[in-house]
Amino acid sequence: QALLDVFTIREEIGTVNGITVTMVGDLKHGRTVHSLAKILTLYNVKLQYVCPESLTMPQDIVEYAANKGISQKFCTTLHEAMQTTDVLYVTRIQKERFESESEFEAVKNIFKVTPETLISAKSAMVIMHPLPRINEISVEVDADPRAAYFRQAENGVYIRMALIAMLLGKC
């Protein structure tokens, strides 16, 4: 997933260096954000995290990025992060990770991306999501040219094809 995410960022923006990537949602359990944060330490990036306090990025990932010299910022709202964001990487809040329905209900819609949310965003910002989504990105955002998550999913096919070809010695 991290390879196709970096590929998508490069395809959408033209580079991975010098950008700010904001990760939103369940950062505690999301393997996609863990691997993306690690691979992004190979580049000159800034990371921002927007999540409920109970779902923050694990300390070992934060320390890994810090040890690689990556600037990191924890934000409490999408609005706080939006103006500096080049890539908005949204993940779903994983209901199955909660011990009670009430815990899940308290955070499930706390960071929903809508057309209104994007008003203060950069015009060239890219919105990514590893899919499937539940309701963390409203369907109205699909028509926004910054919404790259379907292109991201398509890129996954090409990255996997390339990896298989490499493994089979075809390149």
Side-chain angles (χ1 to χ4, degrees):
Q1 183 72 44
L3 291 174
L4 79 92
D5 291 341
V6 168
F7 179 78
T8 300
I9 292 168
R10 192 165 186 281
E11 286 292 299
E12 295 288 325
I13 296 178
T15 185
V16 183
N17 286 306
I19 65 170
T20 298
V21 178
T22 300
M23 299 179 184
V24 180
D26 184 350
L27 307 185
K28 179 178 181 180
H29 302 109
R31 64 174 178 76
T32 58
V33 290
H34 298 170
S35 58
L36 181 58
K38 285 184 174 181
I39 201 169
L40 286 174
T41 65
L42 300 172
Y43 300 91
N44 175 25
V45 300
K46 294 180 182 176
L47 297 177
Q48 297 186 126
Y49 308 119
V50 181
C51 60
E53 190 175 325
S54 61
L55 299 175
T56 193
M57 185 66 82
Q59 193 59 35
D60 64 309
I61 305 291
V62 173
E63 289 174 6
Y64 182 87
N67 289 337
K68 299 286 186 169
I70 300 298
S71 169
Q72 300 170 87
K73 179 180 177 185
F74 291 84
C75 303
T76 56
T77 66
L78 273 172
H79 180 73
E80 180 184 352
M82 200 60 74
Q83 293 179 342
T84 58
T85 297
D86 297 297
V87 175
L88 185 67
Y89 195 94
V90 184
T91 63
R92 70 180 177 91
I93 303 289
Q94 301 178 46
K95 183 177 183 178
E96 62 274 17
R97 301 290 188 171
F98 290 86
E99 298 205 10
S100 73
E101 184 78 21
S102 61
E103 286 180 87
F104 171 71
E105 290 295 326
V107 296
K108 74 174 186 179
N109 291 322
I110 197 165
F111 299 115
K112 185 171 184 174
V113 179
T114 65
E116 294 76 28
T117 309
L118 298 173
I119 289 172
S120 63
K122 295 178 179 182
S123 60
M125 184 188 74
V126 175
I127 306 163
M128 297 174 64
H129 191 299
L131 300 177
R133 71 171 166 202
I134 307 297
N135 62 350
E136 56 280 357
I137 301 176
S138 70
V139 294
E140 293 84 12
V141 174
D142 294 353
D144 191 308
R146 297 173 289 189
Y149 32 89
F150 297 127
R151 295 186 297 274
Q152 176 187 4
E154 181 181 359
N155 288 340
V157 173
Y158 308 131
I159 291 296
R160 287 173 181 92
M161 288 170 60
L163 289 171
I164 291 169
M166 286 174 59
L167 289 171
L168 296 175
K170 302 289 183 183
C171 357

